[in-house]
Amino acid sequence: MQEALDLAFPFHGRWLVQNSPADRVPSHGTTAFASSFAIDFVPVDAGGRSAPVRFRTLVVTEPPQRFPGFGREVLAPVEGLVVAADDGQEDHAAHRGLPSVTYALTQGRRAAAGWAALAGNHVLVQTRPGAVVALCHLRQGSVDVRVGELVRVGQEVGRCGNSGNSTEPHLHVQALDRVDVEQARPVRVTFLGSLPRTGEVVGA
């Protein structure tokens, strides 16, 4: 089995783990775009909630600014070279409750547009040959690094957003064996030597 790439947590504060490969592989229900070992982190408050749930939450979309974690710092989890950075996609409304069902029905259209449409605003950091880390769904206008820049662990690279294929503000992390996502193979990851499970709240 391929050795996992060990990462630092790419954030401060409390984040809820979703779609962890510790629970199933492929973690997101698909092997497309080298996503078999991808993992999601949702920023939450002290009570473990991403945003309060009201009746309107169940029937209408919500502005991403309503989520306390929208705009929270995203940090480099590895030292390496920035090999891609996209900052131009809009943050769209969040979809919970019934709106999330409608949103799921349009996922095929976004997938057909390619990985960049799914990832939204993102940064790719190459830490060594055969190991590239992707940080996705960043807030528009927040990417703070450029292609060719060397980054250190813990350096801010952007802010948590709701761009791309995202139902609410969160951070999608995956590792690949090359920059070309269309041709890449997935790389397993751990965080500080272990892999949190779906439903855990982690802090850094």
Side-chain angles (χ1 to χ4, degrees):
M1 181 181 295
Q2 180 189 44
E3 182 180 356
L5 176 65
D6 194 42
L7 308 175
F9 283 114
F11 45 69
H12 297 306
R14 292 164 57 83
W15 296 64
L16 174 67
V17 178
Q18 295 288 349
N19 299 314
S20 173
D23 300 291
R24 67 170 184 172
V25 175
S27 58
H28 285 59
T30 178
T31 59
F33 304 114
S35 62
S36 293
F37 308 127
I39 188 169
D40 293 330
F41 296 99
V42 181
V44 294
D45 60 19
R49 300 176 302 179
S50 61
V53 175
R54 303 176 298 180
F55 174 75
R56 287 177 56 83
T57 299
L58 304 177
V59 294
V60 298
T61 59
E62 304 165 279
Q65 293 83 359
R66 187 169 178 270
F67 291 73
F70 183 67
R72 194 180 290 183
E73 291 180 342
V74 172
L75 314 175
V78 289
E79 181 179 280
L81 180 72
V82 177
V83 291
D86 184 355
D87 197 36
Q89 300 187 47
E90 292 185 3
D91 294 284
H92 54 74
H95 297 72
R96 299 191 290 175
L98 291 176
S100 69
V101 177
T102 303
Y103 189 71
L105 295 175
T106 62
Q107 184 166 323
R109 182 178 64 204
R110 292 187 293 278
W115 182 80
L118 296 174
N121 301 315
H122 61 274
V123 171
L124 299 183
V125 179
Q126 181 156 18
T127 185
R128 63 173 189 246
V132 177
V133 178
L135 305 167
C136 306
H137 308 313
L138 303 178
R139 184 174 181 173
Q140 185 181 33
S142 74
V143 173
D144 200 29
V145 293
R146 298 292 177 263
V147 172
E149 182 177 344
L150 290 171
V151 295
R152 64 187 185 279
V153 176
Q155 178 180 337
E156 182 179 331
V157 297
R159 299 271 173 162
C160 179
N162 200 47
S163 58
N165 189 47
S166 176
T167 56
E168 65 178 291
H170 75 285
L171 177 65
H172 171 101
V173 181
Q174 67 181 96
L176 319 100
D177 69 349
R178 67 196 72 186
V179 178
D180 183 355
V181 180
E182 303 284 345
Q183 303 297 323
R185 294 182 179 180
V187 174
R188 294 179 181 272
V189 296
T190 55
F191 294 87
L192 303 179
S194 63
L195 188 59
R197 305 188 75 88
T198 298
E200 290 185 33
V201 174
V202 295

